Amino acid sequence: MTPTAGTPARILVTGATGAVGSAVLRTLRTAGHDAYGVSRRGGEEPWQYVWRIGQEEPPAALHGPWTAVVHCAADTRWDLPAERALDANVAPLRALLARTGPATHFIQLSSSYATGLEGDVASHAPDAYRNTYEWSKAAAERLVHARRDSADIVRFPIVMGARADGRLDRYSGFFWLPAALCNGAVPALVGDEKALLDVVSTDDVAEHVARLVVGGPPQGRRLSVLGRGDRAQRVGEVFDTVREALSSWRAAHGVPPLDPLPYVTPEQWNRFYLPFAEEHLDRAQLRRITAFRAYQGYLSVTEPVEVTDQVADTAQVVHRSMTRWADTHEAAARRIPQPWRA
Ligand SMILES: NC(=O)c1ccc[n+]([C@@H]2O[C@H](COP(=O)([O-])OP(=O)(O)OC[C@H]3O[C@@H](n4cnc5c(N)ncnc54)[C@H](OP(=O)(O)O)[C@@H]3O)[C@@H](O)[C@H]2O)c1
C-alpha cells in the first residue's frame, strides 16, 4: 500500500520502546503519520500497546489493515542459546508476516553484521556467524525473502543516540563500554585500534525508514545498508572520543579523568591475559572478562561494510551519546576505576 497525499499512513512499529523503535515511532508521528507502537511491556503513550508478538493475539485496536509495518522488535543479546535466539528474532517475525497481507509495506530492521563471517546471510550453519544473534538475524532476513515478493530490509551497524543531543530511549549493546571504563571492569581494549568501527545515529535509521514509508513498497525485495562504510571511524578514534567525552563530563562534575587503556590484540589476549585471568581472578571478574570477549570480533573488522546509504559523520554523535549516557547514569559515570588485583 502506498500512502496517498492527504491520507496519513496507518503504520505499526514493533519494538517501539527500544533504542531504535522509539526513534522510528517518534519520527513517523512527527511526520504526521497514524503510527502505533507495540512492545512486550507497552509504553506510556496512548498510541503504544502491549503485544508479545508470537505468543498471543494482538489487541483489537491493532487489527489491520496496515499501510506499513516496521519490524524493530528483537533481542539483541549475543549470548542467547540458539533456540532462544530463534524464539526471540524469528518466531515473532513469522507471526507478524502471517498477520500482514502482501499489500502491506513490510520493513524488516536488520544488522550489518547479519552477514556473519561469510559476508552474506545464505548460510544456515551457526559457525558461519560470530554469535547466535547474527545467526538468528540472518535467518530472519531469509524468512522475509521466502514469504514476501516485496519488502524492505534495512541493515545498519552499532546504534548511537540522536544527532542533536545523543538521546537514546534505551541503553544496551555498546553502552557496556562507558560503564566498564568508569568502573575499571576491563583492564585493556582487545582489538585492533586501526580497525573500522561503524556507527549510525537513531536519526539516520528513523529518517531512512520514514523515507521508505513515503516512497511505498518496492518492486521486489530491496536491501538498504546504512553506515559510514569505508569512511567509518577507526576503533582507536571511537575509543578516544568515548574517553574524552566521559573525562570532560567527569571534570565538570569534579571526578578525575579516565586514563587511556592499552590495546592488546585478540591473540595476545587469548594467549596471555585470559589464561592468567582464569587462574587468578575471582568469579565476578571472570564473568566480566567473558562478556567482554564477545566484542573482540567487532573490534577487529578491517574490511569496510559496503553501504547503500552513507550517513553523515558520526564523531559528534558518539561524543554526545556518551555525554548523555553520563547525564542519565550519573552514579556509574562518577565511579573511580579500581585496578585489577589477582
Ligand atoms: N542497537 C543496535 O546497536 C543495533 C544495531 C544494528 C541493528 N539493530 C537492530 O535494530 C532493531 C532494534 O534494536 P534495538 O537496539 O532498538 O533493540 P532494544 O533496544 O533491545 O529494543 C527491543 C524492543 O523489542 C521489543 N520486543 C522484543 N521482543 C518482542 C516481542 N516478542 N513482542 C513485542 N515486542 C518485543 C522490546 O519490548 P520490551 O521493552 O517491552 O521488552 C523492545 O521494545 C533490531 O532489529 C536490531 O537487531 C540494532
Side-chain angles (χ1 to χ4, degrees):
M1 264 187 250
T2 308
T4 43
T7 321
R10 186 167 181 259
I11 304 166
L12 180 66
V13 178
T14 72
T17 51
V20 178
S22 53
V24 169
L25 182 59
R26 228 178 354 258
T27 299
L28 291 172
R29 289 195 67 86
T30 304
H33 297 297
D34 193 18
Y36 299 83
V38 292
S39 54
R40 280 179 296 210
R41 284 165 290 183
E44 285 169 8
E45 305 292 353
W47 49 83
Q48 288 185 318
Y49 291 84
V50 172
W51 181 21
R52 285 167 299 212
I53 309 165
Q55 293 171 33
E56 61 189 4
E57 293 294 301
L62 296 182
H63 290 175
W66 296 95
T67 318
V69 169
V70 187
H71 185 40
C72 310
D75 191 324
T76 60
R77 283 175 292 175
W78 294 343
D79 56 353
L80 290 178
E83 276 308 311
R84 279 188 63 199
L86 289 183
D87 284 349
N89 293 329
V90 182
L93 170 65
R94 187 173 287 115
L96 201 55
L97 287 167
R99 292 202 151 268
T100 48
T104 296
H105 183 181
F106 198 88
I107 303 174
Q108 161 76 4
L109 297 202
S110 190
S111 162
S112 303
Y113 302 113
T115 54
L117 301 169
E118 294 181 356
D120 64 45
V121 298
S123 179
H124 292 241
D127 60 8
Y129 301 89
R130 291 179 190 84
N131 50 49
T132 55
Y133 167 67
E134 289 185 358
W135 174 70
S136 64
K137 294 298 283 186
E141 287 199 22
R142 292 195 303 271
L143 183 62
V144 173
H145 276 261
R147 296 284 161 87
R148 280 290 179 282
D149 292 330
S150 159
D152 268 298
I153 292 175
V154 182
R155 293 183 194 150
F156 46 90
I158 293 165
V159 172
M160 296 273 156
R163 284 189 173 270
D165 60 5
R167 170 182 176 173
L168 258 184
D169 288 61
R170 183 171 299 180
Y171 291 92
S172 50
F174 192 77
F175 287 87
W176 66 276
L177 179 66
L181 291 179
C182 293
N183 69 19
V186 292
L189 296 171
V190 185
D192 174 358
E193 59 178 311
K194 299 261 180 315
L196 296 164
L197 188 56
D198 211 346
V199 307
V200 293
S201 157
T202 48
D203 292 337
D204 300 324
V205 181
E207 286 162 16
H208 185 77
V209 167
R211 282 193 294 274
L212 295 180
V213 166
V214 169
Q219 298 279 334
R221 290 168 301 251
R222 175 171 54 191
L223 174 67
S224 319
V225 185
L226 314 185
R228 294 286 289 155
D230 56 2
R231 301 184 70 184
Q233 285 195 291
R234 307 273 157 189
V235 165
E237 291 169 335
V238 176
F239 280 19
D240 281 351
T241 304
V242 170
R243 194 170 52 80
E244 211 277 306
L246 294 173
S247 288
S248 302
W249 185 93
R250 288 163 72 95
H253 291 77
V255 187
L258 297 169
D259 291 331
L261 293 179
Y263 285 90
V264 300
T265 64
E267 204 202 7
Q268 288 169 320
W269 177 263
N270 294 331
R271 284 185 61 185
F272 302 115
Y273 285 66
L274 198 59
F276 171 84
E278 280 168 349
E279 203 173 321
H280 295 289
L281 300 183
D282 65 30
R283 279 178 59 191
Q285 288 170 321
L286 270 176
R287 245 197 333 271
R288 290 178 190 159
I289 290 267
T290 312
F292 180 52
R293 233 179 144 174
Y295 288 85
Q296 289 181 11
Y298 296 96
L299 302 179
S300 314
V301 177
T302 46
E303 278 299 305
V305 173
E306 267 184 50
V307 295
T308 59
D309 295 76
Q310 192 167 59
V311 306
D313 187 54
T314 44
Q316 280 295 330
V317 174
V318 174
H319 198 284
R320 288 182 184 142
S321 301
M322 291 301 146
T323 306
R324 180 83 174 205
W325 173 85
D327 282 339
T328 50
H329 296 76
E330 202 170 324
R334 282 177 175 277
R335 289 185 68 170
I336 307 294
Q338 297 302 312
W340 285 79
R341 271 191 211 93

